[in-house]
Amino acid sequence: MALLLSLLLLFSIGVSQEAQLATPAVSSRAAEEALSASVKVETIRDVVTALSADDMQGRGTMQPGGDKAADYLADRFAKLGLKPLGEKGSFFQPIKFRETQFLPETSFKAGKETLELGRDFVVTPPFNGDKNVSGDLVFIAYGLISSTPRRNDLANIDVRGKMVVLLEGPPKVVSKKDWKDAKVQIDILRSLVLLGAAGLIFVNTGTDEHPYSEMADYLTRRQIERADKEEMPSFLPPFVTLSNEAAAKLFTNSGSTFAEALAKAELEGFKPFSLKKSATITVKLKKAKGTSNNVVALLEGSDPKLKAEALVYSAHYDAFGVSADKRIYHGAADNGLGVGEMIAVAEAFSQAATRPRRSIIFLAVTGEEYGGYGSDFWVKNPTWKIKQVAADLNFDGMGTEVYGPVKTLVGYGAEHSTLGTLLESVANAQGLTVITDPMPEEKSFYRSDHYFFVKKGVPGLMILGAPGGPVSEWTKRLKEWEKTDYHQPTDTIRPEWDWQGPRTLAMLSAVMGMRLANNEQMPSWLPNSPFNRERGTSEPPPPEP
Ligand SMILES: [Zn+2]
């Protein structure tokens, strides 16, 4: 027994000495290959399956399903042997939120018509309290008073106590850029409020890409804001947006059809006119306060000096939760996949033979869908010195990586920092092609968690993975999916998904992370990037396009 034990001891010492000796001899290329090979497709599938299951209730911010998902992720981090990096020695970083929901009493009556919330009208932010206002309806086109173009949309009219029907600018003769740069819209709204308008009713909104129905869908869901966000003053009139069908009803018997009114609104000599009926808007809100958590884990680096610096992997785990009518927003592609990829990377690193020199933080954030609240909170209340955050590699997307074997990549943010050249070199070595953003109109760079790091001076990157072949083929599929499933209860796992795609994306991100963690220098901004600012900066970011 004793002999056997000592032999076993000797044997195990021998093995471990050998392993220790072998480690430094392992080339970084081999270490990268080993790391990438240990990224498990089963892990990605397990995580996505668990997070998008009915019992996770769409992982809603400030909902029990969100808490359940946070517990699940903390448990996975713990099982990988990662250290908690939240508050009070836990994996959780709590954030206080405020929820607003419309009660069924919310209504809009115009003349004899009663409009339906969602289908015919929506109340737009600010949601600053209950309202019950009435007044005569007047159409003021854009509400613009200017010399070029020569307009006085408020000529001979007193908007005090009126329900003002207006168009969002600019008029066709003014460029969108000029309108935005001169902040004309906000000036118009401010003056209408100061002149005492009882209600502001927007008509003819929406574009082909983003129709009224899409806005209505979002604005009738429960709304989430940070609890510490100052509420707008309650004296503000209600802001309401109408569908075109509902708008047409406001114009009946006014002497102008809706179409005629829209045509008149473009003319320099436009004169405001009464719609010869009155309207009543009632807004009834239910407000609640609560908490949701970021889930933060740490893999400590091996280098005595460099371990004080950390690379962050981020992915939002929230989806839209469960609605008042019990529909579950499963969020499988957005962003179960991203979280699954991040967990697979965490698993590979935590089981690797050699630890990276820098530390690595795995940050699963909440509240992304309502405006990146979780990552915004973390960069402003970081659980690691922000000046020592090397970079953020963010996983978020719309599931293009399951369309087939990933061959094509888009790096959102690649043009701003040395993360772009790193992406290029790792991708090329793996036979993947990095292309420029084929959908710049989506402004994806500004729409996920990495951007909050970027604004704080930390280089950030979000990578989209897509199949080979013509780009137009997968962008077409994506555009279709956006119309039917994106941010809808139907964003679920599909049998046709190719799970090797997300694995490829995770492998690439793992190798990039290894280089970022082992390089002597942290990545840097390209000198002429508008985001080239110090880590932790509190300077306002450059304006969004
Ligand atoms: Zn997302």
Side-chain angles (χ1 to χ4, degrees):
M1 182 72 179
L3 181 68
L4 187 62
L5 188 69
S6 57
L7 271 175
L8 273 174
L9 258 172
L10 265 176
F11 181 71
S12 71
I13 288 164
V15 167
S16 72
Q17 273 175 347
E18 210 172 85
Q20 274 167 18
L21 287 175
T23 305
V26 170
S27 74
S28 68
R29 182 65 191 263
E32 285 177 4
E33 275 170 12
L35 181 74
S36 187
S38 66
V39 170
K40 293 191 190 118
V41 71
E42 297 78 18
T43 300
I44 300 174
R45 195 187 295 154
D46 285 354
V47 173
V48 184
T49 305
L51 291 179
S52 62
D54 282 355
D55 66 351
M56 288 285 180
Q57 298 279 297
R59 314 185 298 280
T61 301
M62 240 186 87
Q63 288 190 326
D67 292 342
K68 186 169 180 170
D71 286 341
Y72 168 83
L73 293 169
D75 187 53
R76 291 214 66 130
F77 286 146
K79 284 184 176 139
L80 294 176
L82 301 176
K83 290 189 175 169
L85 193 65
E87 272 186 16
K88 297 176 184 155
S90 79
F91 286 102
F92 303 117
Q93 181 184 43
I95 308 169
K96 291 186 175 124
F97 289 104
R98 177 165 73 217
E99 179 194 70
T100 307
Q101 293 200 64
F102 294 101
L103 291 170
E105 295 93 309
T106 300
S107 68
F108 188 126
K109 294 190 180 97
K112 293 188 188 78
E113 299 278 353
T114 298
L115 305 182
E116 190 185 312
L117 180 65
R119 187 192 66 185
D120 300 324
F121 79 99
V122 285
V123 182
T124 52
F127 309 113
N128 56 337
D130 293 353
K131 311 277 170 197
N132 186 27
V133 294
S134 299
D136 291 336
L137 288 160
V138 289
F139 180 60
I140 61 161
Y142 296 95
L144 179 61
I145 299 171
S146 79
S147 48
T148 8
R150 197 177 185 80
R151 298 186 69 116
N152 183 357
D153 294 357
L154 302 182
N156 306 320
I157 198 164
D158 181 2
V159 298
R160 180 166 301 278
K162 300 281 194 319
M163 297 293 229
V164 175
V165 178
L166 75 162
L167 305 167
E168 209 179 312
K172 290 196 175 106
V173 294
V174 179
S175 84
K176 279 189 178 152
K177 190 180 179 311
D178 289 349
W179 185 263
K180 201 177 159 193
D181 289 353
K183 300 193 168 84
V184 184
Q185 193 69 61
I186 194 80
D187 279 348
I188 289 173
L189 298 183
R190 190 182 293 130
S191 67
L192 290 171
V193 169
L194 291 174
L195 290 168
L200 301 184
I201 301 160
F202 290 91
V203 294
N204 198 38
T205 59
T207 58
D208 288 349
E209 282 286 299
H210 300 289
Y212 163 83
S213 56
E214 182 184 303
M215 178 175 50
D217 178 20
Y218 285 102
L219 287 175
T220 45
R221 293 180 190 187
R222 57 192 202 104
Q223 305 293 320
I224 299 288
E225 293 171 310
R226 283 271 304 278
D228 54 7
K229 189 187 164 199
E230 218 178 304
E231 293 208 58
M232 296 290 270
S234 59
F235 65 79
L236 287 178
F239 290 51
V240 163
T241 300
L242 296 194
S243 72
N244 282 349
E245 293 72 22
K249 291 178 184 170
L250 294 193
F251 285 83
T252 49
N253 302 323
S254 72
S256 253
T257 65
F258 181 36
E260 286 162 357
L262 292 179
K264 283 182 195 170
E266 298 304 326
L267 305 174
E268 283 206 347
F270 171 82
K271 294 274 184 307
F273 58 91
S274 163
L275 300 188
K276 298 176 185 158
K277 56 176 83 64
S278 64
T280 300
I281 296 174
T282 306
V283 180
K284 279 268 183 218
L285 303 173
K286 187 178 125 196
K287 294 211 172 205
K289 284 187 173 180
T291 300
S292 268
N293 292 284
N294 286 336
V295 191
V296 206
L298 173 71
L299 179 82
E300 220 166 18
S302 61
D303 184 282
K305 215 173 97 211
L306 289 187
K307 74 175 187 182
E309 295 171 355
L311 160 71
V312 173
Y313 283 102
S314 59
H316 76 87
Y317 71 87
D318 64 302
F320 281 95
V322 56
S323 65
D325 58 357
K326 302 279 181 267
R327 287 181 304 155
I328 298 169
Y329 291 81
H330 296 90
D334 177 19
N335 186 31
L337 274 174
V339 180
E341 289 154 7
M342 181 173 78
I343 298 285
V345 170
E347 182 178 53
F349 270 111
S350 64
Q351 293 170 358
T354 40
R355 290 210 155 199
R357 299 173 69 199
R358 279 193 183 81
S359 297
I360 300 184
I361 294 168
F362 298 95
L363 173 63
V365 293
T366 186
E368 192 274 346
E369 296 294 8
Y370 300 96
Y373 293 132
S375 43
D376 188 44
F377 188 82
W378 194 85
V379 300
K380 289 172 182 165
N381 306 273
T383 56
W384 193 267
K385 282 188 187 139
I386 197 82
K387 284 194 186 305
Q388 293 175 343
V389 174
D392 172 52
L393 295 183
N394 183 41
F395 294 99
D396 190 7
M398 300 191 281
T400 48
E401 68 268 45
V402 296
Y403 290 1
V406 164
K407 299 284 179 206
T408 312
L409 304 169
V410 181
Y412 295 99
E415 66 277 36
H416 293 296
S417 73
T418 55
L419 294 176
T421 34
L422 174 65
L423 170 66
E424 197 79 41
S425 81
V426 176
N428 290 344
Q430 298 187 6
L432 307 170
T433 309
V434 182
I435 61 167
T436 53
D437 183 7
M439 301 161 290
E441 70 284 358
E442 305 250 341
K443 298 183 181 163
S444 301
F445 172 65
Y446 303 94
R447 286 176 48 195
S448 187
D449 296 300
H450 58 281
Y451 184 54
F452 294 88
F453 286 84
V454 165
K455 286 197 284 188
K456 264 283 172 200
V458 176
L461 187 72
M462 174 173 70
I463 306 162
L464 172 143
V471 170
S472 60
E473 259 170 41
W474 61 263
T475 53
K476 184 164 171 273
R477 180 170 167 186
L478 173 60
K479 297 265 177 193
E480 285 301 312
W481 184 84
E482 281 189 90
K483 282 192 197 125
T484 54
D485 302 313
Y486 178 51
H487 290 170
Q488 298 300 326
T490 48
D491 175 7
T492 53
I493 294 175
R494 300 296 160 85
E496 69 271 20
W497 279 14
D498 184 333
W499 289 92
Q500 290 300 327
R503 179 175 186 243
T504 303
L505 203 55
M507 287 160 71
L508 170 101
S509 305
V511 172
M512 285 182 69
M514 186 178 237
R515 293 204 195 161
L516 287 168
N518 288 339
N519 283 349
E520 211 46 53
Q521 299 299 323
M522 295 205 285
S524 54
W525 293 108
L526 298 186
N528 48 12
S529 164
F531 297 103
N532 177 13
R533 288 128 29 103
E534 227 190 331
R535 285 175 173 82
T537 181
S538 42
E539 297 289 309
E544 288 175 28

